Amino acid sequence: MAGQSRDVVVEPGPGTDTATGSAAEVLSGYLHQRAAEFLRGLRAHAQGAGPGGQDGTGRGGTAASVDVLRAAARRMNGALFTYRPLLDARWADELRTELSWLAGTLAREYAYAARLERLLSALHRLASGGTSGPEAPGRPGAHPAAPTGAVASRAASGPRERGGLPAGAARAGALLDRQLTLARTRAHSAALRALGSARFHAVADAVAVLASEAPLRPAEAAGPASAVLGPLAERTGRQLVEAVAALPLSRAGAPYNADGLSRSLATEVRQDAAWDQVRVLLRLHRYAQEVLGPLAEPDPRLRPAGDALERHRAAAAAAAAAASAAATPRIAPATAYALGVLHADQRHEVEAARFAFGRHWTSTPQGATGC
């Protein structure tokens, strides 16, 4: 699903022995590879954009290229952040800002499409009295959601089983469809404007230069990779451990925590931000380990814990969209009720993702991971 993480396995750069190369060789080789991937993603996106580039679910020929582009941009961004002391600081900061702007702008329309698909799948499940859990539609590993019109129709005409929602589910689905489709259309227009802007061409030019030359500080990056890059990667790991320690993992000790529904929307936003900060730090730590290659100590927690935090972000964003739709003026009480149940359902998913993260994070003794 576009809008979710689609990381790929990254190998050390060609001709660079990560175990014996200098910090300059290892870091520049990694940045060259990621820059080349970014440029390939841009090229594929330009070729796939245009009429017929999307299907009815918001996925299309450009979605895969956006995934490649975002993955390369995130990795460049992470390397520039973690290993900033070895680079021209002003150049690194400016490029990080521009990479974040471009990748975010291009990905936003796909994120709205994924959010709508998730919410309509959950709404149909709730409206038909379906069960909650991994086997339900809209959960990871479930069958893809039906097209928007079919979901809204079944929500209206499906049988009223125990626990099912009233007829307001159909109007709730139509309201979500209208709001998120409008947001996606605006995001698509913003992406087209960005691709035609001078700012975009400046970013592409900067990355094209990076594909062949990285502005390193020779004195700082001259030493062995293990001695120079290792301590900087360890610093990112310490920041991650500290951020996780500040999370209320004990309160997230149940897969569906009712305490998660007893807070205000403002409190939800503040707590979600803390968890999202951990997601960002975990990703930075993973990318720092990628640069090190075989020099890094493997941490088996990172991949499953990161996947749980990606599910957390998706559920939190979907819950916020349901709450926003419920705040629409002059909607019928039945519609508001359906949206409220949908919001609660997604907040349950938030709590389940927090539980999964805590389980993965504590599954391996910290001392054995080198994190």
Side-chain angles (χ1 to χ4, degrees):
M1 182 180 295
Q4 293 183 346
S5 176
R6 291 175 173 267
D7 293 343
V8 295
V9 176
V10 177
E11 302 293 341
T16 299
D17 186 344
T18 307
T20 60
S22 69
E25 291 171 336
V26 172
L27 181 57
S28 61
Y30 183 87
L31 290 173
H32 294 339
Q33 278 196 305
R34 305 291 78 76
E37 290 172 0
F38 185 91
L39 293 174
R40 285 196 295 269
L42 281 181
R43 198 156 44 240
H45 185 276
Q47 293 170 353
Q54 289 187 354
D55 59 24
T57 63
R59 298 286 296 175
T62 60
S65 62
V66 169
D67 290 335
V68 172
L69 185 153
R70 292 178 65 211
R74 287 196 303 262
R75 283 176 162 82
M76 280 190 289
N77 214 324
L80 295 176
F81 175 83
T82 301
Y83 301 108
R84 181 176 180 271
L86 309 181
L87 299 158
D88 181 294
R90 180 177 178 182
W91 169 86
D93 292 343
E94 290 178 353
L95 183 55
R96 286 185 62 231
T97 299
E98 296 306 287
L99 287 172
S100 297
W101 163 74
L102 180 58
T105 300
L106 295 181
R108 200 164 293 127
E109 63 174 302
Y110 301 101
Y112 283 125
R115 197 167 304 152
L116 178 60
E117 182 178 334
R118 178 189 183 96
L119 285 167
L120 292 182
S121 293
L123 188 62
H124 170 61
R125 170 177 49 81
L126 293 167
S128 60
T131 58
S132 177
E135 74 283 357
R139 300 303 195 274
H143 295 294
T148 299
V151 172
S153 174
R154 287 202 299 268
S157 60
R160 270 293 304 275
E161 301 177 12
R162 184 175 62 181
L165 291 176
R171 291 190 292 272
L175 178 59
L176 288 168
D177 189 4
R178 188 163 58 249
Q179 291 185 346
L180 290 174
T181 298
L182 176 60
R184 189 181 71 193
T185 300
R186 290 173 174 169
H188 180 70
S189 298
L192 292 179
R193 289 195 299 271
L195 289 172
S197 67
R199 185 178 182 182
F200 161 74
H201 291 291
V203 177
D205 290 343
V207 176
V209 172
L210 181 59
S212 59
E213 180 182 358
L216 297 169
R217 301 171 67 182
E220 286 77 2
S226 57
V228 177
L229 302 179
L232 295 174
E234 290 173 4
R235 183 179 63 180
T236 304
R238 288 194 299 271
Q239 292 173 340
L240 171 61
V241 170
E242 292 170 1
V244 172
L247 294 177
L249 288 183
S250 60
R251 192 166 60 199
Y256 288 94
N257 182 4
D259 180 60
L261 302 178
S262 64
R263 300 185 290 266
S264 67
L265 294 179
T267 303
E268 286 179 1
V269 171
R270 287 195 300 270
Q271 295 201 356
D272 290 345
W275 287 82
D276 201 56
Q277 177 64 16
V278 171
R279 180 188 63 82
V280 172
L281 289 172
L282 190 148
R283 178 176 282 171
L284 287 173
H285 180 57
R286 276 185 48 216
Y287 295 163
Q289 301 292 86
E290 282 185 2
V291 175
L292 289 174
L295 292 175
E297 292 188 51
D299 188 340
R301 303 175 299 176
L302 296 184
R303 177 70 67 173
D307 290 343
L309 291 176
E310 290 293 340
R311 294 196 300 271
H312 177 280
R313 180 176 64 160
S324 177
T328 302
R330 297 184 298 278
I331 61 174
T335 305
Y337 172 72
L339 290 168
V341 174
L342 182 59
H343 172 267
D345 174 76
Q346 293 303 299
R347 291 310 303 183
H348 273 307
E349 290 296 288
V350 167
E351 297 298 323
R354 292 178 181 180
F355 168 78
F357 170 81
R359 182 166 53 85
H360 291 307
W361 188 257
T362 57
S363 63
T364 305
Q366 182 175 322
T369 66
C371 181

